[in-house]
Amino acid sequence: NLLLFPGISFKTQLLYAIVFCTRYLDLFIRFVSIYNTLMKIFFIGSSFYILYLMKVQFKATWDPNLDTLRIEYLLGPCVLLAILFNYEFVPVEILWAFSVYLEAVAILPQLFQLTRTGEAETITTHYLFALGGYRALYLLNWIYRYFAENHVEWIVVIAGLVQTGLYGDFFYVYVTRVLRGRKFQLPA
């Protein structure tokens, strides 16, 4: 049996699909460029394709008994934050803010699943490191925009700091174990 998604949380993937759908709704009302449009379609389409693969094509490789974090505990507060803290109280901006808040916590089902098993396959840990590692690229973007454009998007910065903080323990174990050739295993 091919294990395409060993240890990957379906709920985290579902939350990322929701993030992309709510963030890129402007696809239907504002044209930026062909590249921008194609990338938005790619992110949404690939997210739903991954969900299809996990739920249908390779269903046996996902264990719902381990993927147990209730995502409504993440969705509710993100909706509330988006309504209270946004740049403009219009639907597209509220949905964009919601997507930023949700992206910050979308990794929690995956991290919760890791704590339930206590260990993970090497491929899974590399995948998680890549998911969190792109935040470092965001940091460079924030620094550039601050100095080059004198621009700071506080919603994005604060949500990004929360997301980076959530990855903290994982990054520590990844660097001290996986990069040294040992199996990813949480401390007892």
Side-chain angles (χ1 to χ4, degrees):
N1 189 12
L2 175 65
L3 290 178
L4 186 60
F5 300 104
I8 301 295
S9 166
F10 177 83
K11 291 179 179 181
T12 286
Q13 297 305 313
L14 175 62
L15 292 176
Y16 276 114
I18 294 169
V19 164
F20 296 138
C21 285
T22 54
R23 181 168 303 162
Y24 300 142
L25 277 178
D26 68 342
L27 181 66
F28 300 108
I29 59 174
R30 184 176 63 136
F31 178 78
V32 176
S33 70
I34 295 288
Y35 172 79
N36 183 279
T37 300
L38 291 176
M39 289 310 293
K40 288 177 179 182
I41 292 169
F42 174 77
F43 275 104
I44 293 169
S46 62
S47 295
F48 281 100
Y49 183 62
I50 290 169
L51 293 175
Y52 162 77
L53 289 174
M54 290 182 79
K55 229 16 178 178
V56 179
Q57 189 83 23
F58 298 102
K59 186 177 183 176
T61 66
W62 169 65
D63 188 354
N65 296 319
L66 296 174
D67 196 7
T68 58
L69 185 72
R70 296 184 56 181
I71 62 174
E72 55 269 21
Y73 294 139
L74 303 175
L75 293 168
C78 291
V79 167
L80 184 62
L81 282 170
I83 290 169
L84 295 175
F85 303 103
N86 54 66
Y87 293 128
E88 187 178 355
F89 199 75
V90 296
V92 171
E93 285 298 318
I94 292 169
L95 289 170
W96 176 85
F98 168 77
S99 78
V100 172
Y101 298 130
L102 185 59
E103 183 180 20
V105 296
I107 195 63
L108 283 175
Q110 181 66 61
L111 295 176
F112 188 73
Q113 182 173 324
L114 271 178
T115 62
R116 289 185 53 105
T117 62
E119 61 185 31
E121 299 290 327
T122 302
I123 187 83
T124 304
T125 59
H126 292 321
Y127 162 75
L128 291 175
F129 183 79
L131 265 182
Y134 86 99
R135 269 294 160 194
L137 298 174
Y138 267 93
L139 177 62
L140 295 175
N141 180 38
W142 299 337
I143 293 169
Y144 168 79
R145 291 189 75 187
Y146 176 74
F147 287 109
E149 302 171 3
N150 197 25
H151 180 78
V152 176
E153 289 191 24
W154 288 109
I155 290 173
V156 174
V157 170
I158 291 169
L161 290 172
V162 168
Q163 184 177 17
T164 303
L166 292 175
Y167 276 95
D169 286 342
F170 170 79
F171 283 147
Y172 175 77
V173 174
Y174 182 85
V175 168
T176 59
R177 298 193 62 79
V178 177
L179 291 182
R180 294 187 178 155
R182 300 191 328 233
K183 185 174 178 137
F184 179 91
Q185 193 167 15
L186 293 175

